[in-house]
Amino acid sequence: EKTEAVETLHAEIDQLEASIAKLTEEITELTKAVAELDAAMAEATKLRQEEKEKNTATIKDAQEAQTAVAQALTVLKEFYAKAGEATALLQQQPEMPEIFDSPYKGMQSENGGVVGMLEVIESDFARLEADTKAAEASAQKEYDTFMTDSKVDKEAKTKDIEHKTAKKQDEEQALTVKREDLEGTQKELDAALAYFDKLKPSCVDAGVSYEDRVARRKEEIESLQEALR
């Protein structure tokens, strides 16, 4: 019975030791994964902040440029409108110098070229603003999704670490108890075996002495019977 108990305790101890070793490895891997998640989130936040600042500055510059170009266009259009009116008035004079024999076209040509160029520039800045806003919104959405997923993953891993750590502590306590039980049971078994080994020769000697006593008693009875005849 004691031998069987010792064997059972040995098996239970081996099982606990294997489980504790596995839990220790899993906790180490999970802890490393959580640290990597923290580092990835910190890096993503840093890059997102830098990108956001850059996009914000680009959008501001594009808006200011559009305002400046719009103001320039207004001034130019007013200028060319007044110049056109002045040319028309000169052309209506009864006696015009030879230089005004034909309607003045120079300012109109210049008007179309400069205004057209400024309108293209204004359109380019408007497109830059729209593209940058779209890129910023997309990057922010991607960042938010990454952070949400990472936080959920971290929370799950952290809870797993807590669960496995608690289980490991319980098993370490159980292992301590099992080892104490094994030590006590082993001592009892060793004591029983020692007692048996010590008792064995005595039992053998006692058997021989009993036979001797039976033989001697038999002889005594026979002698007594002879004497009574």
Side-chain angles (χ1 to χ4, degrees):
E1 184 180 347
K2 292 294 181 184
T3 302
E4 183 179 348
V6 168
E7 291 176 352
T8 300
L9 285 168
H10 271 299
E12 291 173 347
I13 287 171
D14 290 343
Q15 185 177 0
L16 283 170
E17 287 176 340
S19 179
I20 290 170
K22 183 180 179 182
L23 286 169
T24 301
E25 183 179 354
E26 290 173 348
I27 290 170
T28 300
E29 291 176 354
L30 286 167
T31 302
K32 181 181 177 183
V34 168
E36 290 173 350
L37 278 172
D38 284 335
M41 286 190 287
E43 180 66 15
T45 300
K46 177 186 175 184
L47 294 175
R48 177 81 280 271
Q49 187 62 35
E50 291 174 353
E51 185 180 25
K52 184 176 182 179
E53 290 174 359
K54 181 180 178 181
N55 287 337
T56 300
T58 299
I59 292 169
K60 181 182 178 183
D61 290 344
Q63 290 172 337
E64 291 176 350
Q66 288 176 79
T67 300
V69 172
Q71 291 172 348
L73 279 169
T74 300
V75 171
L76 281 174
K77 286 177 180 179
E78 289 177 354
F79 170 75
Y80 288 130
K82 290 178 180 178
E85 290 175 3
T87 301
L89 287 172
L90 287 172
Q91 290 173 347
Q92 291 172 4
Q93 295 298 323
E95 296 178 1
M96 289 190 300
E98 292 182 359
I99 191 170
F100 294 115
D101 284 347
S102 60
Y104 181 67
K105 302 290 184 182
M107 293 295 272
Q108 294 176 9
S109 175
E110 186 179 349
N111 177 4
V114 175
V115 170
M117 180 184 68
L118 288 175
E119 287 176 342
V120 170
I121 292 174
E122 184 180 30
S123 175
D124 288 343
F125 278 120
R127 184 166 57 253
L128 175 61
E129 179 188 356
D131 290 347
T132 305
K133 283 182 176 179
E136 170 63 21
S138 177
Q140 185 64 42
K141 182 179 180 181
E142 184 178 347
Y143 168 77
D144 291 340
T145 300
F146 171 76
M147 292 298 289
T148 298
D149 292 344
S150 296
K151 287 176 181 178
V152 170
D153 190 17
K154 178 183 176 180
E155 185 178 358
K157 283 182 168 58
T158 301
K159 286 184 178 179
D160 202 10
I161 289 173
E162 292 173 356
H163 170 72
K164 290 182 184 297
T165 299
K167 184 178 180 182
K168 179 185 174 184
Q169 291 173 345
D170 290 342
E171 291 189 353
E172 285 174 338
Q173 291 177 354
L175 179 61
T176 300
V177 173
K178 293 293 182 184
R179 282 174 174 168
E180 291 173 352
D181 290 345
L182 175 62
E183 183 179 1
T185 305
Q186 187 67 54
K187 285 181 179 178
E188 292 176 0
L189 176 61
D190 292 343
L193 291 173
Y195 178 74
F196 177 74
D197 288 339
K198 182 179 179 181
L199 185 63
K200 191 174 178 181
S202 175
C203 290
V204 173
D205 292 342
V208 172
S209 299
Y210 173 75
E211 290 173 354
D212 286 344
R213 286 199 300 273
V214 169
R216 284 198 296 271
R217 181 159 298 181
K218 184 178 180 182
E219 290 176 358
E220 291 173 355
I221 292 172
E222 289 177 350
S223 298
L224 181 59
Q225 287 175 344
E226 284 293 333
L228 292 172
R229 286 179 181 176

